[in-house]
Each structure stands twice: as structure tokens, then as C-alpha cells.
Amino acid sequence: MEKIRIGKDEPLYEIKGIRPMSPNVMQIVFAGPVPISWGDITIYTEDGTEAATLTGYDTVYRDDGQTVYLSNDGSVYQAPDTPDGPGEPPEPYVPTLEELQAGKRREVAAECEGLIYAGINVALADGSVEHYALTIEDQLNLFGKLSQITAGATQLEYHADGQPCRYYSAADMQAIIQAAMWHVSYHTTYCNALNMWIAGCQTTDEVAEIFYGADVPEQYQSDVLQAYLVEIAAMAGGAEDGIPKD
């Protein structure tokens, strides 16, 4: 079965097929989990050989559950008008289970992204606590500091939110980077588990009960998430309550 990778993310997603539907729209049928963000699409054959990379398909044109349509021109699907007969009030539309699952995935993905971007508080060696946003640009800047530390830098320039740029010790910068990596990795792992839970729902009522911050049922918890939950419980003194509050 073919696989794809989105951007520079580590996970590989199994797909049943990928094909163009028009000059600007690509259809991807997933065999399992569906990504929560989009970017360059690298396609791998069944034996793991890199086959091709598609660029520009980063807009969700239409989401039909396991089948996702992406556009490379920013366009999104618009349902055609279906006028009712004269004098007949329009029937309320009842979304299908697949449509509700797709909407719930978008909902939790937005919550995940917002929490990641909101950032973290980090206690520094002098006892002060500073806040650092973690937008994509912030993440790239921070993780780039890791190579400076590896190269032996003893002071590194950076800034907390709303503060001027200043020099940080290698130890403080390492603490900031580690906290950032943990924050991003945890929320990405938790959101992935939510997506597995959403995919496993059999009724619309089950989908409606899912929200970001809910305790994920054990059957949808990956080994990675379980390890994070144990760590969170230990940090909270044994009180495991879902997502850590930064």
C-alpha cells in the first residue's frame, strides 16, 4: 500500500489512492489516520521508495472523512443550490456520520493548533518565568538554536513574548527548547489520538461528545500518549486530568 508524508513531519500515512480530479484539485483516499495539517506531499511506493513530491496542495477543498480533496489554488468546495418546490419550506439538512467526523477533526485540529501556537511558560535559572509563543516561525527559530548549542555556543540571542531580544545561557536556551518540543509533541500526539477516537465512532451522538481536552478512551490511546499521561500524572502529583495547563 502506498504511503505519503506531509511536509517534514515524521509520520507516514497509508493511502488507498491519490489522483488528480482537475488541474487544481487532488483526491487522497486514506486507509487509516488522516493528517490534521497540510503541506508538500511526498509519495512513497509499497517498498518505501520515494516516488514523487507534490507542492502547493495545502488547502482542504473538501473533506469526506477518509477521502480528502486538496486544492493548489486556495479554492474550496461549494455545494450546488437545490431549490425546493414552490411553497415548500426547505428541509433541515441532517449531516451524515462522515460529515460530522470530518467537522470534528477540523474542530480539534484548530484547538490543537491554537494551544500549540499560544506557547509555554518556562522557568529560567535565575528564577524568573517567561512566556514564549510557538507559532511555526517561532518553532523553527527555537529549534534552529539547537544547532548553535551543539556547535558549542554559550550564549544565544532570543526573546520572550513582548520583550526585547537578549542573550540567554546555553542552559536556559536548552530548557526553553526542551519545553517547546514537549509541548508541541504532546498536543500533536493527543490530537492524533482524538482523530483515532473520531474515526472509531459508530454514531453521530458519539462524535458530538468528543471535545479537545476530553479523556481519550484507552483503546484509542497510543503507547506514546500513555507515556505522556503517566508523565503528566507524575508532574501533577498523581492527578491525571487530561491536558496540562500551560
Side-chain angles (χ1 to χ4, degrees):
M1 185 172 291
E2 289 182 311
K3 296 180 175 66
I4 64 172
R5 171 174 283 131
I6 306 300
K8 298 184 181 300
D9 291 345
E10 288 297 326
L12 288 173
Y13 298 90
E14 289 192 343
I15 60 172
K16 296 180 179 179
I18 178 169
R19 64 191 180 102
M21 302 299 291
S22 74
N24 300 109
V25 176
M26 185 72 63
Q27 179 199 65
I28 308 176
V29 182
F30 288 89
V34 178
I36 62 174
S37 60
W38 303 95
D40 292 347
I41 302 169
T42 305
I43 305 172
Y44 297 86
T45 60
E46 291 186 12
D47 63 3
T49 302
E50 184 175 325
T53 298
L54 306 176
T55 61
Y57 290 92
D58 51 13
T59 299
V60 177
Y61 177 81
R62 180 173 178 174
D63 188 333
D64 289 339
Q66 294 301 109
T67 300
V68 178
Y69 300 83
L70 302 174
S71 70
N72 62 4
D73 60 356
S75 60
V76 295
Y77 175 75
Q78 299 292 331
D81 293 329
T82 54
D84 296 296
E88 296 180 1
E91 290 289 334
Y93 178 70
V94 179
T96 64
L97 173 61
E98 291 76 16
E99 289 172 332
L100 285 175
Q101 287 172 315
K104 184 62 70 172
R105 285 205 307 273
R106 289 192 294 270
E107 174 190 317
V108 300
E111 288 283 345
C112 178
E113 183 180 89
L115 284 168
I116 288 175
Y117 287 4
I120 51 173
N121 294 325
V122 181
L124 304 179
D126 63 2
S128 64
V129 176
E130 295 184 345
H131 185 81
Y132 304 90
L134 288 175
T135 65
I136 294 298
E137 183 178 352
D138 293 321
Q139 292 175 46
L140 292 173
N141 287 339
L142 265 180
F143 300 158
K145 298 297 179 185
L146 200 55
S147 61
Q148 292 180 248
I149 294 174
T150 303
T154 57
Q155 57 179 10
L156 303 97
E157 68 283 358
Y158 201 65
H159 65 88
D161 283 8
Q163 300 298 319
C165 192
R166 68 178 181 85
Y167 284 111
Y168 288 82
S169 68
D172 276 344
M173 185 55 62
Q174 185 71 46
I176 297 167
I177 293 170
Q178 288 178 343
M181 293 177 68
W182 193 100
H183 182 77
V184 173
S185 181
Y186 168 76
H187 281 287
T188 302
T189 301
Y190 173 76
C191 191
N192 177 261
L194 285 181
N195 282 324
M196 298 300 294
W197 184 9
I198 293 166
C201 289
Q202 300 298 311
T203 68
T204 57
D205 287 342
E206 289 179 82
V207 177
E209 291 175 357
I210 298 174
F211 60 93
Y212 203 93
D215 292 331
V216 178
E218 188 171 351
Q219 64 265 37
Y220 301 115
Q221 295 178 12
S222 66
D223 292 343
V224 178
L225 178 60
Q226 289 177 355
Y228 274 121
L229 293 178
V230 170
E231 185 178 352
I232 291 167
M235 289 188 296
E240 184 177 313
D241 62 352
I243 311 179
K245 307 298 187 293
D246 291 317

